[in-house]
Amino acid sequence: MNSATRIIEPGQIEAPAGQIPFLRLADTDVFKQRAERLRHLSQQHSFGPYLGFLATLAQAQHDALKHFPPVPLPSPEQQAVCREHGMPVLGAQAWHRDPAWRAGLKKILRSMLATALPAPASAAVERLMKLSDAELEEIANKLLAGDLDTVGAQDMPFVAAALQVYWTHMAGAMGEHAFGKLEQGGLCPVCGSHPVAGIVRIGGAQQGLRYLSCSLCATEWHMVRIKCSSCESTRGIHYYALEGSNGAIKAESCDECNAYLKLLYMEKDTQVDPVADDLASLALDVLMDETGKTRGGPNLFFHPGIS
Ligand SMILES: [Zn+2]
Ligand SMILES: [Zn+2]
């Protein structure tokens, strides 16, 4: 039986702000590493088949990212205006998407068709292949607006995968210098999306620092610890873990806004991946739901209608 373990963490002395790398754009191998992690986590897991399917999807994302064509990016003037107003340069909803994201989607769908897919997934792939450009854009609009429950549960992982590849590609093509801090510290400085989870990192200047990981573009940005990523309150912060766990995953909850976000601790497991480990620890979401807390950010591979 899982039950809550409430853990109060000691305060952490952090390096002065100027020495902390604020932004970490996704590594070019981010989806490959995620695929490996998902494959690993799928073994002897109650959601094994789904995690295994997502491993294949992440591999298809990797292949699509590797061959992504050059796409239009915000001009230096547009970038300057965004930075000046504390707006994300590649805003998930504001940015005018290039059709290349749909070409990326088609590529991902074709790779998935070449694998052994469960019947509902292959039906979804066939259906998505036949949708018009306008219909695909409509699904993307809903997904990027956070209206996940209006997106078909079978369509969501594929469309989300393609949008992640497109945004990750753009962020990488622009480079870290293009992005500034936003007014809201809990939103991705690149695309303005909510984080999927946080990571407490190890090594060098990042030792013991907490980075939030974007649910869309996989960018990580620094946020001090023991602070709510949703409302930035530093009061009423609590930590929950599943009993018997190795402590690599905890939920950080906030009494002020009632949100929680998972934190992954690299010192307990160096291989953690925010998307993969979040999905593999849904039991902790069930526990948090029982305490009346709601997630502070989505996982684009977990449809809110499935529980
Ligand atoms: Zn982002
Ligand atoms: Zn809060």
Side-chain angles (χ1 to χ4, degrees), residues 90 167 187-194 213-219 221:
L90 289 168
W167 252 271
L187 297 180
C188 173
V190 170
C191 74
S193 298
H194 289 279
S213 180
C214 179
S215 53
L216 180 63
C217 74
T219 296
W221 68 101

mmCIF file of all heavy atoms in Angstrom, residues 90 167 187-194 213-219 221, ligand 1:
data_model
loop_
_atom_site.group_PDB
_atom_site.id
_atom_site.type_symbol
_atom_site.label_atom_id
_atom_site.label_comp_id
_atom_site.label_asym_id
_atom_site.label_seq_id
_atom_site.Cartn_x
_atom_site.Cartn_y
_atom_site.Cartn_z
ATOM 1 N N LEU A 90 9.313 32.358 -28.224
ATOM 2 C CA LEU A 90 8.643 31.338 -29.049
ATOM 3 C C LEU A 90 7.345 30.909 -28.365
ATOM 4 O O LEU A 90 7.111 29.714 -28.126
ATOM 5 C CB LEU A 90 9.568 30.132 -29.245
ATOM 6 C CG LEU A 90 10.780 30.339 -30.149
ATOM 7 C CD1 LEU A 90 11.770 29.168 -30.016
ATOM 8 C CD2 LEU A 90 10.370 30.491 -31.609
ATOM 9 N N TRP A 167 9.280 22.619 -31.482
ATOM 10 C CA TRP A 167 9.726 23.657 -30.534
ATOM 11 C C TRP A 167 11.154 23.416 -30.041
ATOM 12 O O TRP A 167 11.923 24.344 -29.863
ATOM 13 C CB TRP A 167 8.743 23.765 -29.359
ATOM 14 C CG TRP A 167 7.948 25.036 -29.443
ATOM 15 C CD1 TRP A 167 8.285 26.253 -28.917
ATOM 16 C CD2 TRP A 167 6.688 25.240 -30.124
ATOM 17 N NE1 TRP A 167 7.326 27.191 -29.239
ATOM 18 C CE2 TRP A 167 6.339 26.597 -29.967
ATOM 19 C CE3 TRP A 167 5.846 24.412 -30.850
ATOM 20 C CZ2 TRP A 167 5.172 27.144 -30.507
ATOM 21 C CZ3 TRP A 167 4.690 24.953 -31.376
ATOM 22 C CH2 TRP A 167 4.365 26.312 -31.211
ATOM 23 N N LEU A 187 7.117 29.737 -15.606
ATOM 24 C CA LEU A 187 6.806 29.419 -17.006
ATOM 25 C C LEU A 187 8.085 29.361 -17.828
ATOM 26 O O LEU A 187 9.046 30.082 -17.550
ATOM 27 C CB LEU A 187 5.861 30.469 -17.599
ATOM 28 C CG LEU A 187 4.474 30.568 -16.950
ATOM 29 C CD1 LEU A 187 3.643 31.646 -17.640
ATOM 30 C CD2 LEU A 187 3.744 29.231 -16.986
ATOM 31 N N CYS A 188 8.080 28.540 -18.861
ATOM 32 C CA CYS A 188 9.276 28.338 -19.687
ATOM 33 C C CYS A 188 9.687 29.647 -20.369
ATOM 34 O O CYS A 188 8.882 30.251 -21.082
ATOM 35 C CB CYS A 188 9.010 27.262 -20.738
ATOM 36 S SG CYS A 188 10.359 27.098 -21.918
ATOM 37 N N PRO A 189 10.928 30.077 -20.185
ATOM 38 C CA PRO A 189 11.400 31.333 -20.786
ATOM 39 C C PRO A 189 11.442 31.278 -22.314
ATOM 40 O O PRO A 189 11.464 32.309 -22.963
ATOM 41 C CB PRO A 189 12.825 31.483 -20.231
ATOM 42 C CG PRO A 189 12.915 30.532 -19.090
ATOM 43 C CD PRO A 189 11.948 29.427 -19.360
ATOM 44 N N VAL A 190 11.415 30.066 -22.880
ATOM 45 C CA VAL A 190 11.457 29.926 -24.340
ATOM 46 C C VAL A 190 10.058 29.993 -24.941
ATOM 47 O O VAL A 190 9.811 30.742 -25.878
ATOM 48 C CB VAL A 190 12.142 28.591 -24.737
ATOM 49 C CG1 VAL A 190 11.991 28.307 -26.222
ATOM 50 C CG2 VAL A 190 13.612 28.614 -24.345
ATOM 51 N N CYS A 191 9.122 29.202 -24.384
ATOM 52 C CA CYS A 191 7.807 29.064 -25.026
ATOM 53 C C CYS A 191 6.639 29.409 -24.113
ATOM 54 O O CYS A 191 5.487 29.378 -24.559
ATOM 55 C CB CYS A 191 7.650 27.660 -25.605
ATOM 56 S SG CYS A 191 7.378 26.390 -24.364
ATOM 57 N N GLY A 192 6.901 29.709 -22.847
ATOM 58 C CA GLY A 192 5.826 30.128 -21.942
ATOM 59 C C GLY A 192 4.965 28.993 -21.412
ATOM 60 O O GLY A 192 3.953 29.235 -20.754
ATOM 61 N N SER A 193 5.351 27.736 -21.686
ATOM 62 C CA SER A 193 4.556 26.593 -21.214
ATOM 63 C C SER A 193 4.861 26.288 -19.753
ATOM 64 O O SER A 193 5.885 26.698 -19.211
ATOM 65 C CB SER A 193 4.863 25.343 -22.045
ATOM 66 O OG SER A 193 4.519 25.555 -23.387
ATOM 67 N N HIS A 194 3.960 25.511 -19.154
ATOM 68 C CA HIS A 194 4.187 25.054 -17.781
ATOM 69 C C HIS A 194 5.201 23.910 -17.781
ATOM 70 O O HIS A 194 5.327 23.192 -18.774
ATOM 71 C CB HIS A 194 2.872 24.558 -17.167
ATOM 72 C CG HIS A 194 1.903 25.662 -16.883
ATOM 73 N ND1 HIS A 194 1.989 26.441 -15.744
ATOM 74 C CD2 HIS A 194 0.866 26.143 -17.590
ATOM 75 C CE1 HIS A 194 1.020 27.339 -15.769
ATOM 76 N NE2 HIS A 194 0.318 27.193 -16.880
ATOM 77 N N SER A 213 11.502 21.732 -15.950
ATOM 78 C CA SER A 213 11.653 21.208 -17.312
ATOM 79 C C SER A 213 10.375 21.444 -18.110
ATOM 80 O O SER A 213 9.288 21.040 -17.694
ATOM 81 C CB SER A 213 11.967 19.713 -17.255
ATOM 82 O OG SER A 213 12.101 19.208 -18.557
ATOM 83 N N CYS A 214 10.510 22.097 -19.252
ATOM 84 C CA CYS A 214 9.335 22.492 -20.040
ATOM 85 C C CYS A 214 8.607 21.282 -20.621
ATOM 86 O O CYS A 214 9.233 20.381 -21.185
ATOM 87 C CB CYS A 214 9.762 23.427 -21.169
ATOM 88 S SG CYS A 214 8.365 23.933 -22.191
ATOM 89 N N SER A 215 7.278 21.318 -20.493
ATOM 90 C CA SER A 215 6.464 20.219 -21.023
ATOM 91 C C SER A 215 6.445 20.214 -22.545
ATOM 92 O O SER A 215 6.130 19.202 -23.152
ATOM 93 C CB SER A 215 5.030 20.333 -20.483
ATOM 94 O OG SER A 215 4.505 21.633 -20.730
ATOM 95 N N LEU A 216 6.782 21.345 -23.164
ATOM 96 C CA LEU A 216 6.749 21.410 -24.633
ATOM 97 C C LEU A 216 8.142 21.335 -25.258
ATOM 98 O O LEU A 216 8.411 20.458 -26.072
ATOM 99 C CB LEU A 216 6.037 22.695 -25.080
ATOM 100 C CG LEU A 216 5.922 22.903 -26.595
ATOM 101 C CD1 LEU A 216 5.092 21.809 -27.254
ATOM 102 C CD2 LEU A 216 5.321 24.280 -26.906
ATOM 103 N N CYS A 217 9.034 22.256 -24.903
ATOM 104 C CA CYS A 217 10.301 22.368 -25.644
ATOM 105 C C CYS A 217 11.496 21.744 -24.926
ATOM 106 O O CYS A 217 12.612 21.826 -25.431
ATOM 107 C CB CYS A 217 10.579 23.829 -25.980
ATOM 108 S SG CYS A 217 11.124 24.835 -24.593
ATOM 109 N N ALA A 218 11.257 21.138 -23.760
ATOM 110 C CA ALA A 218 12.294 20.421 -23.005
ATOM 111 C C ALA A 218 13.409 21.327 -22.478
ATOM 112 O O ALA A 218 14.419 20.833 -21.983
ATOM 113 C CB ALA A 218 12.879 19.264 -23.815
ATOM 114 N N THR A 219 13.214 22.645 -22.580
ATOM 115 C CA THR A 219 14.171 23.557 -21.966
ATOM 116 C C THR A 219 14.079 23.421 -20.450
ATOM 117 O O THR A 219 13.001 23.200 -19.907
ATOM 118 C CB THR A 219 13.832 25.013 -22.359
ATOM 119 O OG1 THR A 219 13.998 25.159 -23.763
ATOM 120 C CG2 THR A 219 14.715 26.020 -21.625
ATOM 121 N N TRP A 221 14.935 25.488 -16.876
ATOM 122 C CA TRP A 221 15.308 26.792 -16.338
ATOM 123 C C TRP A 221 15.354 26.740 -14.820
ATOM 124 O O TRP A 221 14.624 25.988 -14.187
ATOM 125 C CB TRP A 221 14.389 27.904 -16.845
ATOM 126 C CG TRP A 221 12.967 27.871 -16.361
ATOM 127 C CD1 TRP A 221 12.423 28.641 -15.363
ATOM 128 C CD2 TRP A 221 11.887 27.054 -16.859
ATOM 129 N NE1 TRP A 221 11.087 28.350 -15.216
ATOM 130 C CE2 TRP A 221 10.731 27.376 -16.125
ATOM 131 C CE3 TRP A 221 11.793 26.070 -17.846
ATOM 132 C CZ2 TRP A 221 9.498 26.760 -16.344
ATOM 133 C CZ3 TRP A 221 10.563 25.452 -18.067
ATOM 134 C CH2 TRP A 221 9.436 25.805 -17.328
HETATM 135 ZN ZN ZN B 1 9.340 25.620 -23.403
#
